[in-house]
């Protein structure tokens, strides 16, 4: 019920990863919402205004790059953490140009991804990452 | 902190639905939530209309109000009632919103699982079809047909490595390409066989990127070329062209890569079988010759 509870949209087509990310983010006091493809992601971002988005680039139908391009074109300020199996510098640069706030290479360490997401949530709420715990954006008080 | 994570999502959903007023909630349904939301706002509208009528009655010209309650008290009571009802409606709306989100999450998870099962089932079917065939020409037809079905493609080809060349042995679409030869490293397929890396083609192909590429129609808008690698050795290349209006993505490439692994093993087995059969035929012929000579 807390109005401070951050909401994070997880965009991923792999059901196992969806569940793992949901459980881990819930444990961090985040309310996760899910999307399995690009179209659902765009509609849920517009309808539910999440504090951050975890975006897999390889999706059925509209892929993650198209979602990122759409958000960039719409000027949507939601911070996006991109997940990709590609290590190419060009891809990282492309994500940065399209306004992504983080880039995590798969297979990823779940703790690193959660840290990146919490950092993005902190930025979304105008909080420096170091102050996130103090202001209740992390930790048990929101669980 | 971890208390919440332990509550199964189904239970959370049922709890939210019950608090929101869906008493008979057993099967998750977005439609039931929407119906409840409609009823809630209909009720809210009716109550507010009744309250407005009540207020109009109360503030009639002085002297006309009568009864046990004084006018200011009556006004206050109506105001408190209206406020309490608004709080009730907003709380229910909040719960309904959460139930909608949880139901949508469940649908997303179900869809992801269904897609995964569909993919696995197609791959299983393709694997079964490939393993049931030992004759190389028939196997190549099966590989190409399965790949086209898997990707909703309209054509393609299978090329096998012979020495330092790729030979086109099976084609769907441009039949005149059967028998065409390409050196390893030449064109898109030669590049794929040499590097053993799949290539996703979108739009016009740059001949500088793929030296030796024949620049001739028909041009494809979207295509994929995958190496068939068995035991670290390239045995061939699978090429698939997208149907008009369809564009392959890296997601498709990943899905068909698993299929290509199975196809490569099947091709290697079929070639082994073909070699063994030739060897047996040779031995039988030799035996006949010996018997003839002895006779």
């Amino acid at each position: 019920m807390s109005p401070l509870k951050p909401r994070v949209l997880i965009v991923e087509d792999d059901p196992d990863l969806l569940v793992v990310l949901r459980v881990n983010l819930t444990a961090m006091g985040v309310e996760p919402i899910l999307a399995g493809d690009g179209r659902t992601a765009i509609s849920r971002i517009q309808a539910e205004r999440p504090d951050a988005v975890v975006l897999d680039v390889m999706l059925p139908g509209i892929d993650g790059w198209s979602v990122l391009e759409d958000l960039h074109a719409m000027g949507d300020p939601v911070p996006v953490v991109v997940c990709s199996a590609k290590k190419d510098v060009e891809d990282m640069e492309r994500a940065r140009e399209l306004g992504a706030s983080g880039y995590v290479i798969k297979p990823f360490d779940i703790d690193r991804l959660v840290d990146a997401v919490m950092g993005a949530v902190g930025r979304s709420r105008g909080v420096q990452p170091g102050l996130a715990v103090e202001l209740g954006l992390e930790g048990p008080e929101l669980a | 902190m971890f208390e919440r994570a332990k509550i199964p999502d189904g239970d959370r959903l049922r709890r939210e639905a019950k608090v929101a007023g869906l008493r008979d909630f057993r099967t998750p349904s977005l439609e039931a939530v929407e119906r409840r939301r409609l009823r809630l706002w209909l009720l809210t509208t009716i109550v507010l209309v009744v309250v407005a009528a009540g207020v109009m009655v109360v503030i009639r010209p002085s002297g006309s109000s009568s009864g046990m309650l004084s006018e200011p008290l009556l006004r206050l009571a109506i105001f408190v009632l209206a406020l309490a009802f608004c709080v009730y409606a907003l709380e229910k709306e909040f719960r309904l919103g959460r139930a909608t989100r949880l139901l949508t999450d469940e649908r997303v998870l179900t869809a992801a699982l269904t897609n995964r099962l569909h993919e696995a089932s197609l791959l299983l079917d393709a694997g079964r079809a490939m393993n049931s065939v030992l004759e190389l020409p028939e196997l190549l037809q099966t590989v190409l047909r399965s790949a086209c079905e898997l990707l909703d493609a309209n054509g393609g080809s299978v090329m096998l490595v012979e020495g330092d060349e790729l030979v086109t042995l099976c084609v769907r679409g441009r039949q005149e390409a059967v028998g065409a030869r390409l050196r390893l490293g030449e064109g898109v397929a030669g590049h794929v066989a040499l590097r053993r890396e799949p290539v996703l083609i979108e739009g016009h192909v740059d001949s500088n990127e793929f030296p030796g590429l024949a620049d001739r129609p028909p041009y494809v808008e979207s295509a994929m070329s995958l190496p068939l690698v068995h035991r670290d050795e390239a045995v061939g290349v699978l090429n698939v062209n997208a149907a008009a209006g369809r564009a392959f993505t890296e997601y498709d490439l990943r899905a068909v890569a698993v299929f290509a692994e199975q196809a490569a093993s099947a091709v290697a087995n079929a070639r082994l079988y073909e070699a063994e059969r030739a060897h047996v035929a040779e031995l039988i012929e030799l035996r006949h010759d010996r018997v003839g000579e002895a006779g």
Side-chain angles (χ1 to χ4, degrees), chain A:
Chain A
M1 290 286 282
S2 166
L4 267 180
K5 192 169 207 177
R7 198 180 289 167
V8 173
L9 175 68
I10 307 166
V11 190
E12 171 65 63
D13 66 294
D14 183 340
D16 300 332
L17 265 179
L18 269 177
V19 171
V20 166
L21 287 172
R22 177 158 79 164
V23 167
N24 278 276
L25 288 175
T26 305
M28 289 301 292
V30 167
E31 185 183 339
I33 48 179
L34 312 179
D37 57 73
R39 204 178 300 280
T40 311
I42 296 272
S43 69
R44 292 202 88 175
I45 288 169
Q46 287 173 339
E48 310 202 25
R49 311 304 312 159
D51 292 277
V53 177
V54 181
L55 179 67
D56 179 25
V57 290
M58 216 182 282
L59 296 169
I62 299 174
D63 67 4
W65 291 119
S66 304
V67 173
L68 207 54
E69 279 164 5
D70 282 1
L71 291 177
H72 190 61
M74 288 188 286
D76 197 310
V78 62
V80 180
V81 177
V82 172
C83 297
S84 171
K86 285 192 171 178
K87 296 176 187 173
D88 303 346
V89 179
E90 293 82 28
D91 283 305
M92 294 182 199
E93 191 59 31
R94 185 181 175 192
R96 197 185 63 78
E97 280 170 10
L98 290 171
S101 67
Y103 190 98
V104 180
I105 297 164
K106 284 184 177 179
F108 48 72
D109 173 20
I110 192 74
D111 292 335
R112 283 192 67 182
L113 179 70
V114 169
D115 285 349
V117 173
M118 296 315 289
V121 168
R123 278 191 294 279
S124 167
R125 297 196 162 196
V127 180
Q128 293 299 314
L131 297 174
V133 176
E134 290 167 39
L135 294 184
L137 294 177
E138 290 180 2
E141 61 269 32
L142 291 177

Side-chain angles (χ1 to χ4, degrees), chain B residues 147-164:
Chain B
C148 289
E149 282 171 4
L150 194 68
L151 292 164
D152 194 18
N154 75 341
S157 64
V158 184
M159 306 168 93
L160 293 188
V161 174
E162 282 185 11
D164 61 350

Side-chain angles (χ1 to χ4, degrees), chain B residues 110-159:
Chain B
T110 308
L113 278 167
T114 309
N115 284 347
R116 178 55 56 86
L117 277 175
H118 182 63
E119 257 177 39
S121 155
L122 284 175
L123 284 172
L124 199 68
D125 288 349
R128 202 177 288 136
M130 286 189 293
N131 288 325
S132 66
V133 182
L134 274 174
E135 304 288 340
L136 192 60
E138 199 184 335
L139 171 70
L140 297 182
Q141 290 283 355
T142 307
V143 167
L144 195 52
R145 191 188 61 240
S146 302
C148 289
E149 282 171 4
L150 194 68
L151 292 164
D152 194 18
N154 75 341
S157 64
V158 184
M159 306 168 93

